[in-house]
Amino acid sequence: MTDLPVRIRPEIAALPAYRQGRQASADAFKLSSNENPFDPLPGVVEAVRAATTFNRYPDASAGRLRARLADRYAVAPDGVHVAAGSVSILYQLASATSGPGDEIMFAWRSFEAYPGLAAVAGATAVAVPLTADAGHDLDAMADAVTDRTRMIIVCSPNNPTGPVVSQAAFDAFVARVRSDVLIVLDEAYAEFVTDPDAVTGAAVLAAGHANVVILRTFSKAYGLAGLRVGYAIGDHRILDAARSTGIPLSVTAQAEEAALASLDAEDELLERVRHIAVRRDALADRLRDAGWDIPNAQGNFVWLPAGERALEIAEAFDAAGLIVRAFAGDGVRISVGEEESIERIVAAAASVVG
């Protein structure tokens, strides 16, 4: 861009803004943002409504939520960091570890925010292609580590393609990476995983890797996407560095109350998650029967590897009243939404297969 009124870093001027999944009209299904289709539980809504001291700043550290999560993961409270969505913690960690001349590595295609956080930090993004079955190629990622590598992101299940990283593969990967390189295990969709071989944050924490940070969110399984609250578990010295780069007071009192109430209602919420996982598996099977090569779906979404037809196929879904997420040149991600959307999804997908 040459018409900017002030000097902007060239890499930022060239960086496209994050594009959220498009909203749906009243007669369409929004399946573009991996949101939880269930309404918030009444107890969660009541907890938010009761948090009415808008004239006061929230607890800057979300101390009660941190203490609750610390008990859950058997860590000290300073081993937990809460922020306005897990993606904000990714930006904080990138800023804390990386700058000009450094490298931030991730698999590709993966979460579309990853290239942007490297650019914002002034670092170089290193994108390692996925395997043929749309999963992480951890051997290739380990081979790509250089003296400039400062941060590596592993997304399991991978968004938008769906496969998980196995525990054995992740353990072998950590063993190959220098201990002074930060490895972030992004588990935004962990609650939906049914593969028994998948990596888990709990197992990674038990192994005691000081250079690994686990990233989780209340947006997906817990249905709090609109309140923006996520958290990280790891070595307090790394999290202190992240806290130093964050925007103060970014987690509202309402978000903290909703997260605490959601933990209180966890059994009921996770029963909803089980329903979504069953719906996901049934949808993936029916799409395979229709002729689509669906990768192993372990999040709350399925992936159509549409390649150069991605935008065209997304338009066909749009015409059917289904708002999906197209990634030009790669594929189409379909969130698992209401049960009533399934027949329409299968019909639309069958109409454009091949």
Side-chain angles (χ1 to χ4, degrees):
M1 295 178 65
T2 59
D3 59 345
L4 292 169
V6 297
R7 295 182 184 181
I8 301 293
R9 288 165 48 198
E11 63 271 28
I12 300 301
L15 184 67
Y18 176 78
R19 185 173 63 87
Q20 126 183 69
R22 188 159 62 86
Q23 301 298 316
S25 61
D27 59 347
F29 291 101
K30 185 189 178 191
L31 309 173
S32 56
S33 296
N34 293 347
E35 295 155 328
N36 192 315
F38 290 98
D39 291 335
L41 290 176
V44 176
V45 174
E46 291 166 8
V48 174
R49 285 176 174 164
T52 57
T53 54
F54 306 137
N55 58 312
R56 302 294 184 187
Y57 286 114
D59 175 357
S61 70
R64 289 185 300 138
L65 180 56
R66 287 176 63 204
R68 183 78 172 269
L69 293 169
D71 286 343
R72 162 174 297 217
Y73 290 97
V75 299
D78 60 1
V80 181
H81 174 40
V82 177
S86 58
V87 67
S88 67
I89 301 177
L90 280 171
Y91 275 88
Q92 294 166 13
L93 291 169
S95 296
T97 60
S98 308
D102 297 329
E103 295 175 346
I104 295 176
M105 183 189 300
F106 45 85
W108 195 253
R109 176 173 288 275
S110 194
F111 181 33
E112 64 265 35
Y114 294 162
L117 65 92
V120 170
T124 299
V126 177
V128 178
L130 298 172
T131 61
D133 57 0
H136 279 55
D137 189 340
L138 291 182
D139 286 334
M141 292 177 72
D143 290 341
V145 173
T146 72
D147 290 340
R148 298 169 58 194
T149 307
R150 296 292 179 268
M151 176 172 161
I152 304 172
I153 308 170
V154 176
C155 184
S156 180
N158 187 50
N159 172 28
T161 61
V164 294
V165 169
S166 73
Q167 186 70 56
F170 187 82
D171 292 342
F173 175 71
V174 174
R176 287 192 60 190
V177 175
R178 296 193 324 269
S179 61
D180 63 349
V181 175
L182 172 63
I183 300 173
V184 179
L185 177 58
D186 188 346
E187 290 195 297
Y189 301 92
E191 292 86 356
F192 300 98
V193 173
T194 55
D195 185 339
D197 295 327
V199 63
T200 67
V204 173
L205 290 169
H209 302 295
N211 64 321
V212 180
V213 167
I214 311 301
L215 208 58
R216 302 291 290 267
T217 182
F218 284 92
S219 294
K220 314 300 183 185
Y222 292 89
L224 302 184
L227 287 174
R228 312 305 302 125
V229 56
Y231 63 95
I233 311 291
D235 187 288
H236 73 91
R237 294 163 293 185
I238 299 173
L239 300 185
D240 283 346
R243 286 184 269 263
S244 296
T245 67
I247 298 173
L249 303 161
S250 60
V251 178
T252 66
Q254 292 71 32
E256 184 179 18
E257 292 293 349
L260 288 166
S262 294
L263 291 173
D264 289 338
E266 190 167 44
D267 288 345
E268 188 172 358
L269 286 167
L270 293 183
E271 182 61 28
R272 292 177 167 190
V273 168
R274 283 187 282 273
H275 282 294
I276 293 171
V278 169
R279 193 177 299 167
R280 172 202 68 203
D281 292 345
L283 174 60
D285 285 343
R286 293 189 64 184
L287 292 173
R288 292 182 185 112
D289 290 342
W292 283 98
D293 183 17
I294 305 296
N296 182 21
Q298 289 289 301
N300 65 337
F301 51 87
V302 296
W303 174 249
L304 302 184
E308 295 302 322
R309 297 182 63 211
L311 297 182
E312 166 203 340
I313 287 172
E315 290 178 359
F317 277 91
D318 196 352
L322 301 163
I323 309 304
V324 298
R325 187 67 179 273
F327 297 88
D330 285 325
V332 175
R333 188 191 69 196
I334 306 172
S335 304
V336 178
E338 295 82 355
E339 179 66 33
E340 296 77 13
S341 69
I342 300 300
E343 293 297 332
R344 202 184 295 187
I345 294 170
V346 174
S351 74
V352 292
V353 70

